[in-house]
Amino acid sequence: MSTPTRGLPDEILTQVQAPARYIGHEFNAVIKNPQEVELRVALCYPDVYEVGMSHVGSHILYHVVNQRPDAWGERCYYPHPDAASAMRERGVALPALESGDPLHQFDVVGITLQHELTYSTVLALLELGGIPLLAAERGEEMPLVLGGGPCAYNPEPMAPFFDAFVIGDGEEALGEVLEVVKLRRKDGRAALLAALAEVPGVYVPAVHDPAECTITKRVVADLETAEYPRHPLVPFVEIVHDRGQIEVARGCTRGCRFCQAGIVYRPVRERTPQTLREQAREIIASTGYDEVSLVSLNCPDYTGISELIDGLHADLASQRVSVGLPSLRIDSFSVELARKVQRVRKSGLTFAPEAGSQRLRDVINKGVTAEDLLAATRAAFSNGWHTVKLYFMIGLPTETEEDVLAIADLVRQVAKAGRETLGRAASRMKINVSVSTLVPKCHTPFQWTGQLSMEEIRHRQALVRGAIRDKQISVWCHGVEESVLESALARGSRKTAQAILAAYRAGARMDAWSEHFDYSRWQQAFAESGLSLQEEASREFATGARLPWSHIDTGVSRQFLLAERERAVGGQTSEDCRFGPCLGCGVSRLAKCEVANRERGC
């Protein structure tokens, strides 16, 4: 077998920044003989190498595909503008990294949809790979374009560009999808799509009628025995999360009412500390990383967290491997965990109170108080931390100007507590405040709620900035225009696809990067499609209306979301069901739910 060629030709590699992004053949990359496999699968992330290589889900799917002797899974990321321009000028189609073959030569092109602002980049990736943008225009020789990820829970804005979507845990359904492709592709594209429509959890826009079908998400029932890559790829350039990663749990029951992930990833499933320690040891041995990071929606909620951290230190400390804990609750227990994992160096700690007033924290069911935050930050400062980051949101339902100003008041209290705790070292204290705008997401209690107008968002951002006058406190507010576009796309319909295509044709791509984002381009594209971007973002849905995503079933019932919406309006909190009674969200019908089983006496 000859060694596959590099992803891009030398005349391009010599002209671009960081050519190592495009050559493939990283340590632990899987190289197979294309003549010895039946299926070629390109796993694509619609962003640059440094971002895509950091995505744990992509590594899991890469491992799952390449475990099959009949398939070869390869990777593809969208190139930086210099490389993309050079490719277009020379007529070079976007290749996969492992073989250097262009995307249009693959059997399946899978694209993860992690964020709405990557939608235009999806189209750029397809076109640069030599694949027609519209599924209806793809001939028999073209690959099956398959979508997945959290944005697939509302597939309609991207439906015309995909042949099919996997709803839910991709590794649970991908094997069945590949079997159908292998067996039915010889029968023609129409027959293949019809067969795919029979696979549970797969939505085929050309076959399914969204007004009549129900597509129920796929769930990995037992995370403990699920496949996980123990020999992940080692990048040639520094990536966003340049370290080993172990997924300790999937799902969250905290019940924050703005959080889509807390709904769509239910129920909670965990791996045992023993399995995670084995995975960590193998990952470090096969990569040479000096850090392993724990991955889940809320790491401190993992039931064996203290045992796991102590075990990882026992296993890896002699190799000078540190343990990372990216997400923290607002409590002293979390600070103690952080103290354990950051024994060598103390980077900043991040807490997310989300709202300034207790009333509004109850509305969103955050479940923390100002006293919790102050106790946690005091514990942090007393244990040697000098930098704290605080996350807040504006635009939450029922929010008033008093609630917005309460953000500044709470931050000032944190600063006061820091100075009192640090004493002479108080001059080194730094508090970074991040203020984002609520983007109502589908399948949450706030899915019927419209976003604030741009003018009101700017006004509330100005209130926060104006109320904080402290050299040791920095305030960063998320871009207004980006938030509005994200909101319009997140709850869009099939008609939204026309605006996405129009924006792409006008030059939109890499919109998640501020230097490439152009709001006026999107505004014009929506107008050309008969839509108002601002009105789409701020649209209110009637609670009895059929929503553009109503055919997608997350397992959590509409009745539960409506009940949580009513409790939010009334300022009533709901207990975390892992520590209280089952709230009847409905997900137990899809997979084992420890809480529901406990209530039933199982």
Side-chain angles (χ1 to χ4, degrees):
M1 171 184 169
S2 61
T3 302
T5 59
R6 290 181 297 191
L8 290 178
D10 287 346
E11 61 266 27
I12 293 179
L13 291 175
T14 56
Q15 295 184 16
V16 301
Q17 293 183 346
R21 295 164 174 152
Y22 311 111
I23 61 177
H25 298 274
E26 300 95 330
F27 193 63
N28 290 334
V30 177
I31 304 298
K32 297 186 180 184
N33 187 336
Q35 307 304 318
E36 295 177 357
V37 297
E38 297 180 66
L39 291 172
R40 301 283 303 279
V41 181
L43 298 168
C44 306
Y45 195 100
D47 209 324
V48 298
Y49 179 93
E50 293 88 334
V51 176
M53 274 287 283
S54 300
H55 180 234
V56 172
S58 297
H59 286 278
I60 293 174
L61 295 180
Y62 184 81
H63 171 73
V64 167
V65 174
N66 284 312
Q67 287 286 94
R68 297 173 61 109
D70 63 348
W72 185 12
E74 305 183 46
R75 295 162 298 127
C76 182
Y77 310 105
Y78 190 71
H80 282 253
D82 58 344
S85 297
M87 291 170 67
R88 292 190 183 93
E89 289 172 3
R90 291 166 174 79
V92 175
L94 181 64
L97 287 177
E98 279 72 7
S99 67
D101 293 333
L103 290 187
H104 62 78
Q105 292 183 6
F106 283 73
D107 300 301
V108 177
V109 171
I111 304 176
T112 184
L113 301 172
Q114 290 292 313
H115 192 277
E116 289 83 1
L117 294 188
T118 64
Y119 284 177
S120 63
T121 312
V122 169
L123 303 192
L125 186 146
L126 288 173
E127 191 159 68
L128 196 57
I131 301 172
L133 298 180
L134 296 173
E137 296 179 356
R138 291 177 195 137
E140 297 293 336
E141 77 287 355
M142 281 293 155
L144 175 84
V145 179
L146 183 68
C151 291
Y153 283 97
N154 179 18
E156 293 311 303
M158 293 296 284
F161 313 116
F162 283 84
D163 297 300
F165 296 87
V166 171
I167 309 300
D169 294 333
E171 67 265 50
E172 180 70 12
L174 186 56
E176 295 170 43
V177 169
L178 296 183
E179 285 298 316
V180 170
V181 174
K182 187 169 69 171
L183 295 173
R184 299 302 303 272
R185 59 182 170 176
K186 64 181 182 299
D187 300 326
R189 200 171 193 87
L192 172 60
L193 294 178
L196 284 171
E198 298 298 319
V199 177
V202 175
Y203 174 54
V204 182
V207 177
H208 290 116
D209 182 345
E212 298 178 0
C213 71
T214 298
I215 309 298
T216 303
K217 77 174 182 183
R218 296 294 296 270
V219 180
V220 170
D222 184 5
L223 201 64
E224 171 72 2
T225 59
E227 291 284 351
Y228 193 81
R230 300 185 181 208
H231 299 79
L233 295 103
V234 181
F236 284 141
V237 299
E238 185 176 358
I239 61 176
V240 175
H241 301 303
D242 206 3
R243 51 186 174 261
Q245 302 183 78
I246 52 174
E247 184 189 27
V248 302
R250 198 173 296 182
C252 178
T253 54
R254 286 284 166 176
C256 298
R257 291 169 178 144
F258 58 84
C259 181
Q260 185 188 57
I263 295 294
V264 302
Y265 290 119
R266 292 186 182 202
V268 171
R269 293 142 289 163
E270 296 184 343
R271 290 185 169 95
T272 64
Q274 293 75 22
T275 294
L276 292 166
R277 288 174 66 180
E278 291 173 8
Q279 291 177 352
R281 288 195 296 265
E282 285 195 47
I283 288 170
I284 295 303
S286 67
T287 62
Y289 276 123
D290 62 1
E291 180 181 359
V292 62
S293 178
L294 313 186
V295 177
S296 82
L297 289 175
N298 197 339
C299 286
D301 277 352
Y302 173 64
T303 53
I305 186 66
S306 292
E307 176 189 350
L308 175 62
I309 291 175
D310 289 340
L312 290 173
H313 277 303
D315 296 339
L316 304 173
S318 63
Q319 303 174 56
R320 302 188 64 82
V321 175
S322 63
V323 179
L325 188 68
S327 57
L328 294 177
R329 288 198 311 258
I330 299 178
D331 56 25
S332 298
F333 172 70
S334 289
V335 175
E336 174 60 22
L337 289 178
R339 187 188 64 79
K340 279 187 174 185
V341 302
Q342 297 192 24
R343 294 174 181 175
V344 178
R345 61 180 178 85
K346 285 181 166 56
S347 57
L349 291 186
T350 299
F351 299 105
E354 309 293 1
S357 68
Q358 189 60 50
R359 184 196 71 81
L360 203 54
R361 286 192 292 273
D362 290 344
V363 167
I364 62 176
N365 204 44
K366 186 61 186 177
V368 299
T369 65
E371 290 71 26
D372 293 329
L373 176 63
L374 294 173
T377 52
R378 284 193 184 99
F381 292 132
S382 64
N383 278 282
W385 274 273
H386 296 91
T387 300
V388 171
K389 187 171 186 177
L390 304 176
Y391 276 113
F392 292 94
M393 278 194 291
I394 58 173
L396 295 163
T398 78
E399 182 180 76
T400 65
E401 287 194 1
E402 184 179 354
D403 295 312
V404 176
L405 291 171
I407 293 174
D409 182 61
L410 186 56
V411 172
R412 286 193 294 268
Q413 292 182 56
V414 170
K416 181 181 178 183
R419 291 184 176 110
E420 292 172 349
T421 306
L422 290 169
R424 293 181 178 179
S427 61
R428 297 170 58 191
M429 182 188 71
K430 182 69 175 175
I431 299 174
N432 299 316
V433 179
S434 175
V435 182
S436 63
T437 302
L438 173 69
V439 174
K441 297 282 186 169
C442 58
H443 305 291
T444 70
F446 295 158
Q447 66 180 353
W448 295 276
T449 304
Q451 191 181 54
L452 292 177
S453 69
M454 294 180 70
E455 293 74 17
E456 188 58 31
I457 294 172
R458 291 193 176 99
H459 171 63
R460 297 188 191 188
Q461 288 182 346
L463 284 178
V464 176
R465 288 195 184 99
I468 298 177
R469 302 291 185 183
D470 190 317
K471 291 181 179 180
Q472 291 181 275
I473 303 173
S474 62
V475 180
W476 178 85
C477 294
H478 188 71
V480 177
E481 295 170 335
E482 291 92 334
S483 298
V484 170
L485 176 60
E486 183 183 347
S487 183
L489 297 177
R491 299 187 305 145
S493 65
R494 187 74 63 96
K495 191 174 182 181
T496 309
Q498 300 176 29
I500 295 171
L501 182 59
Y504 171 68
R505 292 299 189 204
R509 59 213 64 188
M510 297 184 70
D511 292 294
W513 296 75
S514 58
E515 61 265 39
H516 301 296
F517 178 72
D518 184 342
Y519 182 75
S520 63
R521 180 187 289 142
W522 280 96
Q523 202 170 25
Q524 180 63 29
F526 269 77
E528 291 173 0
S529 305
L531 301 170
S532 164
L533 177 50
Q534 177 68 73
E535 289 176 6
E536 290 295 297
S538 60
R539 178 169 46 160
E540 299 272 345
F541 287 101
T543 54
R546 184 171 180 84
L547 304 172
W549 53 89
S550 289
H551 53 302
I552 304 300
D553 176 17
T554 68
V556 175
S557 70
R558 177 177 175 275
Q559 291 73 24
F560 174 77
L561 296 180
L562 280 170
E564 283 296 289
R565 180 177 184 269
E566 290 303 312
R567 293 179 68 82
V569 172
Q572 298 176 286
T573 60
S574 297
E575 194 171 355
D576 184 338
C577 61
R578 294 186 85 185
F579 310 105
C582 174
L583 300 178
C585 73
V587 78
S588 60
R589 64 187 168 87
L590 299 189
K592 177 183 177 182
C593 177
E594 294 178 3
V595 177
N597 287 344
R598 183 183 70 215
E599 294 290 308
R600 299 187 186 107
C602 299

